Amino acid sequence: MAEPGSNRTPETGAFFQRDRQWHPPAFTPGYKSSVLRSPQKALLSFDNTLSELTGPVFGHAMIGERDNDLIHNFAKPGESAIGERIIVHGRVLDERGVGVPGALLEFWQANAGGRYRHKKDGYLAPLDPNFGGCGRTLTGEDGAYAFRTVRPGPYPWPNGPNDWRPAHIHFSLFGHGFAQRLITQMYFEGDPLIWRCPIVGGIRDKAAVEALIAALDMQSTIPMDALAYKFDIVLRGRRSTLFENRPEGN
Amino acid sequence: MAQPLDRPKESPSQTAGPYVHIGLTPNFCGIGGVYENDLGSAMVNERTKGERIELRIRVLDGTGTPLKDALIEIWQADADGLYNSPAELRGTADPNFHGWGRCPTDMETGLCIFETIKPGRVPFRDGRLMAPHITLWIVARGINLGLHTRLYFSDEEKANAEDPILARIEHRVRVPTLIAEREGNAYVFDVHLQGEKETVFFDS
Ligand SMILES: [Fe+3]
């Protein structure tokens, strides 16, 4: 099925193999929840079939006007969420450096005090009556996206006796194939808690951690209103089908 | 030295954490009024072609305890084996079937229930038909990178026996970890993250 209103040729090449040394491994004992939830046997490797190459499409029709504005999308009329107002923007690219258009981004976060609107979160910081903590948007033709929110607070969590999560925003991404599906987290430049976090610490390569740290972007701020952070996200790239292996003569 | 390839690397994954519901199924966790519905909560309508089935899926940790904070997404072909995706070049899938569903595990029981249809057979890379199957993607607190696997159907013995992916499983005792058992119009499927019955997870 072609995307309605799109004249892009759908790509059908297999995705590049995932670099599992770059991602955190399943078993990261510093993050205790991983101990009993990590598969221990070898994964079954195979080149993508149609089941992994294809993926659902999400249209603009489902996105509401305020879905990308966490300052207002849960607030009472005329009110807004409390906290440091920020814009988060960037591009969704694939491993070829090409923008991924029409990608669905969903994001969620704690409020400015570090408290989630969730019945399992018992942190003593108060809920903000005007902050829900979820948002979503679709990337444009060049893979660009933006949303407005408040900077989430760091929060303590039961892991070690005194572990704190750095300020972070959770991101979920849908690219064009189900095998590109990704959930990650964005951290903020300069936060000293990043390097003490057992969840971040599951990532072995310092450059990989840095790929999750958004830079303060003074060029994209709104003076007297909001600071800005730039966060690019990279999804798996796919092979070109130009020379797809097929029996000679076809 | 040679020219650099200049390829950006995939963003590293991080766990979905315990509050994944806020972002992906806000209505489920009591955050109403932001989105009309949670995405992926309804897969079929009265015009969807195919046999109606129910999937009852649980995810169990290394002690056999069901996860109550996981989230499962499924992706499948329509009744004729066509995916509702731009990368599907073999034909047009059933317009009444999106093929994608999302369900958080129940906070009390750990059960995920998908109301869907039985998918048709989809060809493997070389043209052989794969057995009917549903692709699963599982995230939760404690899972650092989303887990990919498949659900096959217990009443498709012949198709399962010739499925090229199932055929690649070296230790044949592990094949049943991918096969859901039929009970009436439902299929029951336990995903074991760890231990003797660990599900076969994919790298694809
Ligand atoms: Fe968090």
Side-chain angles (χ1 to χ4, degrees):
Chain A
M1 189 196 77
E3 269 167 274
S6 167
N7 42 24
R8 258 180 275 127
T9 312
E11 291 190 278
T12 56
F15 291 103
F16 299 160
Q17 189 186 349
R18 214 161 217 165
D19 181 352
R20 289 175 182 270
Q21 299 301 310
W22 182 252
H23 289 284
F27 179 71
T28 51
Y31 173 28
K32 291 182 183 170
S33 299
S34 76
V35 172
L36 285 166
R37 294 182 170 197
S38 41
Q40 295 166 334
K41 297 185 171 26
L43 302 176
L44 182 70
S45 296
F46 58 92
D47 208 7
N48 298 155
T49 73
L50 271 171
S51 304
E52 294 77 38
L53 288 173
T54 53
V57 171
F58 300 95
H60 287 273
M62 60 164 248
I63 304 282
E65 214 178 309
R66 286 196 160 167
D67 286 5
N68 67 347
D69 183 357
L70 282 73
I71 292 182
H72 295 107
N73 69 9
F74 190 78
K76 292 182 224 23
E79 299 187 16
S80 58
I82 288 176
E84 181 182 327
R85 298 158 67 88
I86 60 169
I87 288 164
V88 178
H89 76 107
R91 287 178 76 205
V92 178
L93 308 163
D94 74 14
E95 290 169 290
R96 301 168 300 183
V98 178
V100 181
L104 173 69
L105 277 80
E106 297 165 282
F107 18 87
W108 67 100
Q109 62 169 87
N111 69 21
R115 172 84 182 267
Y116 282 97
R117 185 170 288 281
H118 194 284
K119 72 173 184 188
K120 298 248 176 79
D121 188 0
Y123 182 33
L124 48 78
L127 283 171
D128 175 349
N130 288 314
F131 189 73
C134 62
R136 62 187 178 187
T137 190
L138 288 171
T139 56
E141 278 299 307
D142 56 352
Y145 75 92
F147 63 93
R148 178 155 73 160
T149 186
V150 293
R151 181 175 166 134
Y155 57 83
W157 59 298
N159 184 63
N162 189 23
D163 279 329
W164 291 72
R165 293 302 326 277
H168 62 278
I169 300 177
H170 297 265
F171 276 75
S172 161
L173 289 113
F174 263 100
H176 296 171
F178 203 59
Q180 276 181 317
R181 195 80 183 80
L182 183 69
I183 280 184
T184 189
Q185 302 182 28
M186 179 195 112
Y187 304 101
F188 291 83
E189 179 181 2
D191 186 343
L193 294 171
I194 295 170
W195 305 101
R196 296 170 179 267
C197 173
I199 289 177
V200 175
I203 300 174
R204 285 165 280 209
D205 192 324
K206 184 162 179 275
V209 174
E210 286 166 344
L212 298 181
I213 303 176
L216 177 67
D217 176 10
M218 290 305 288
Q219 255 62 309
S220 302
T221 55
I222 307 176
M224 310 307 286
D225 180 344
L227 281 171
Y229 285 87
K230 181 166 180 289
F231 186 54
D232 289 340
I233 303 156
V234 182
L235 301 180
R236 291 173 75 179
R238 69 198 315 167
R239 296 203 298 263
S240 150
T241 46
L242 290 178
F243 301 101
E244 185 77 336
N245 120 11
R246 55 167 69 113
E248 294 303 326
N250 267 358
Chain B
M1 287 291 281
Q3 293 184 3
L5 288 172
D6 276 337
R7 290 218 178 89
K9 289 188 74 79
E10 186 185 14
S11 296
S13 171
Q14 292 275 264
T15 179
Y19 309 123
V20 59
H21 313 112
I22 296 174
L24 302 190
T25 55
N27 292 291
F28 170 82
C29 72
I31 301 177
V34 183
Y35 310 148
E36 201 174 320
N37 311 105
D38 288 336
L39 277 187
S41 55
M43 294 185 69
V44 291
N45 62 39
E46 58 295 350
R47 283 161 301 171
T48 307
K49 283 191 288 180
E51 182 194 349
R52 298 295 190 276
I53 59 170
E54 183 176 284
L55 308 177
R56 300 175 181 219
I57 307 176
R58 295 188 306 167
V59 183
L60 311 174
D61 72 13
T63 70
T65 308
L67 272 59
K68 292 165 185 172
D69 54 8
L71 181 123
I72 303 176
E73 289 185 3
I74 63 172
W75 172 240
Q76 65 168 100
D78 71 5
D80 295 324
L82 292 169
Y83 281 105
N84 196 334
S85 167
E88 174 60 88
L89 304 178
R90 296 170 299 142
T92 302
D94 179 357
N96 289 303
F97 189 62
H98 189 236
W100 173 78
R102 173 186 278 170
C103 180
T105 53
D106 185 272
M107 290 195 201
E108 306 295 324
T109 63
L111 192 63
C112 258
I113 297 179
F114 291 95
E115 306 287 348
T116 183
I117 52 139
K118 188 121 173 241
R121 296 179 72 173
V122 174
F124 185 59
R125 299 183 68 83
D126 60 8
R128 277 182 293 162
L129 288 177
M130 296 190 280
H133 66 272
I134 290 177
T135 297
L136 266 69
W137 187 72
I138 301 159
V139 294
R141 169 175 66 90
I143 295 178
N144 287 323
L145 174 61
L147 298 170
H148 170 204
T149 187
R150 284 186 185 181
L151 178 159
Y152 287 84
F153 300 91
S154 63
D155 52 352
E156 295 284 348
E157 266 177 52
K158 187 171 166 292
N160 292 343
E162 61 192 31
D163 182 84
I165 298 299
L166 292 177
R168 294 183 64 131
I169 300 174
E170 180 191 345
H171 299 99
R172 302 309 292 168
V173 294
R174 300 189 66 204
V175 172
T177 68
L178 299 186
I179 299 179
E181 285 301 323
R182 180 145 198 159
E183 286 182 15
N185 76 329
Y187 290 89
V188 179
F189 191 60
D190 279 350
V191 176
H192 292 266
L193 297 179
Q194 213 176 71
E196 207 143 293
K197 289 185 278 185
E198 183 177 309
T199 299
V200 176
F201 295 105
F202 297 170
D203 176 24
S204 177

